[in-house]
Amino acid sequence: MAGQHDNYSYQITGFGADDSLKKAFGPKPDVSEGFVRIRVRYAGLNFADIMQRKGVYPGIQDAGLPYTPGMEVVGDVDAVGPGVPGLAVGDRVFAKLEMGGYAAYVVAPISHVFAVPGSIEDKEVLGLVGTSGQTAYGLAKSLKSSDGRPVFITAAAGGVGSILIQLCKHAGRTVIAGVGNEDKAWHTAKLGADQTVRYDREGWEKTLLDFAGEAGLAAAIDSVGGAPNRGALAALGNWAELVFFGGASGDLVGLPPDLVFPFVAGCNSIRGFGLIGYYLSGPNVLTETIQGLFQARVNGAISHITTTVFPSYEIEEAHWSLGSRQSMGKLLLDMHE
């Protein structure tokens, strides 16, 4: 039987600031039929974790405290329950979770556990097939034909943007990357972006319009809202789309009055994209997405995976870095303790 202190986790003990995350100890979780227990190497961080910590994530107020966040891990199979074919103790795996990833040990249903190809390094796994990579893959698949016109990606140096740039380039699209500083501009250029817009600089909206050209953007893919959203709307061409997949600024802006007529006349559209609806679109979408991302890495369609690793005891700093939008690529918690 597992001891009372064989597992540790980081739990939300009260909704609010970074310091509401506290370390707790307990037994290893039990393994039931169809489930796998995993010794976690790295846990992925997502903006949803910050929303959960603040108490504004849908359903979080009803989940009960303490609450252990974390939607994805990479690690080694520690135990398998009955009815789990194809996996053995010691296999390296990725697991998609509903919650609980900030822990030394987690359990996950076999339908959400995937063997990791040997050529992919531990620190790359969550940057590739974690929530950010899954979102990038689904976004890339969902875009309409661009007819040669560019797409504009806000927060392009982040976890989603870093993968999305590469997937769009592999599909033959022209990419304009929206970033907030020089380091991020350099990073997105290395990933293959054709042009970079610095929205920390005055007049960036005019620069975006110039890059978009007379035909305008085919799409703007936005996770920020606020000023980047307004600039993207102004640069859309006809039959173009603005795709929201988040709102880091807390301000998902509607159409400014001066853009209403051009937007309607151009037959443009605004839509959202989220993994919940994406995975409800078919029975095998999760598996196809994870395997598609693994294959894209193996065949070179995704050649750069940027991660920033924090030891788990620096979880407050990790949350601050993610929430302040100062980070690049995927943020990870190192759970080797």
Side-chain angles (χ1 to χ4, degrees):
M1 178 175 292
Q4 292 301 304
H5 299 286
D6 290 341
N7 192 20
Y8 70 87
S9 61
Y10 288 88
Q11 301 177 343
I12 298 170
T13 56
F15 298 121
D18 303 342
D19 60 5
S20 63
L21 287 159
K22 304 295 185 183
K23 191 173 185 178
F25 293 89
K28 291 183 183 181
D30 293 330
V31 188
S32 56
E33 183 173 359
F35 281 73
V36 176
R37 186 169 66 213
I38 300 164
R39 175 59 173 100
V40 178
R41 298 188 186 193
Y42 295 96
L45 276 71
N46 295 285
F47 198 78
D49 302 349
I50 293 177
M51 294 174 65
Q52 290 172 1
R53 192 199 73 224
K54 292 181 176 179
V56 297
Y57 192 80
I60 190 65
Q61 295 284 351
D62 300 324
L65 296 177
Y67 179 93
T68 302
M71 297 179 170
E72 62 215 16
V73 299
V74 60
D76 304 300
V77 174
D78 180 70
V80 295
V84 177
L87 287 177
V89 172
D91 287 350
R92 189 169 60 123
V93 293
F94 162 78
K96 174 178 168 57
L97 309 170
E98 297 298 324
M99 58 175 286
Y102 293 7
Y105 292 89
V106 302
V107 294
I110 183 60
S111 60
H112 286 53
V113 178
F114 302 87
V116 177
S119 59
I120 301 176
E121 297 180 3
D122 285 349
K123 294 178 183 179
E124 295 182 332
V125 173
L126 295 179
L128 177 65
V129 298
T131 299
S132 54
Q134 296 167 39
T135 301
Y137 189 88
L139 281 165
K141 284 186 63 176
S142 75
L143 292 176
K144 298 187 294 188
S145 173
S146 66
D147 298 322
R149 296 177 296 167
V151 298
F152 175 53
I153 302 171
T154 69
V160 175
S162 294
I163 299 297
L164 184 57
I165 288 171
Q166 296 175 79
L167 291 173
C168 285
K169 290 303 300 177
H170 185 68
R173 297 178 184 270
T174 299
V175 174
I176 303 171
V179 297
N181 61 49
E182 185 62 33
D183 287 342
K184 292 181 178 182
W186 178 85
H187 174 68
T188 55
K190 184 178 71 172
L191 295 174
D194 298 279
Q195 304 285 355
T196 302
V197 170
R198 292 271 304 276
Y199 39 65
D200 60 330
R201 290 180 171 173
E202 188 175 349
W204 69 267
E205 297 93 340
K206 175 63 165 57
T207 302
L208 176 60
L209 284 168
D210 290 343
F211 287 158
E214 186 175 347
L217 300 171
I221 309 166
D222 182 32
S223 63
V224 179
N229 168 267
R230 289 189 290 272
L233 280 166
L236 292 178
N238 293 335
W239 295 97
E241 58 181 349
L242 173 65
V243 185
F244 284 118
F245 68 96
S249 71
D251 177 19
L252 290 183
V253 178
L255 279 171
D258 60 320
L259 292 181
V260 171
F261 179 75
F263 188 88
V264 173
C267 299
N268 293 330
S269 61
I270 297 175
R271 65 178 173 90
F273 178 88
L275 289 179
I276 294 175
Y278 175 59
Y279 287 129
L280 290 174
S281 66
N284 300 311
V285 177
L286 174 61
T287 298
E288 292 168 359
T289 298
I290 301 302
Q291 298 300 347
L293 285 163
F294 279 146
Q295 186 58 40
R297 178 60 173 142
V298 171
N299 68 20
I302 297 173
S303 58
H304 297 281
I305 301 173
T306 303
T307 59
T308 301
V309 180
F310 290 84
S312 62
Y313 57 81
E314 292 184 358
I315 191 168
E316 291 181 21
E317 290 86 346
H319 266 236
W320 178 88
S321 181
L322 180 62
S324 65
R325 294 167 50 202
Q326 298 300 309
S327 59
M328 288 193 288
K330 182 71 175 181
L331 271 62
L332 312 178
L333 288 179
D334 185 344
M335 304 303 292
H336 296 84
E337 286 193 14

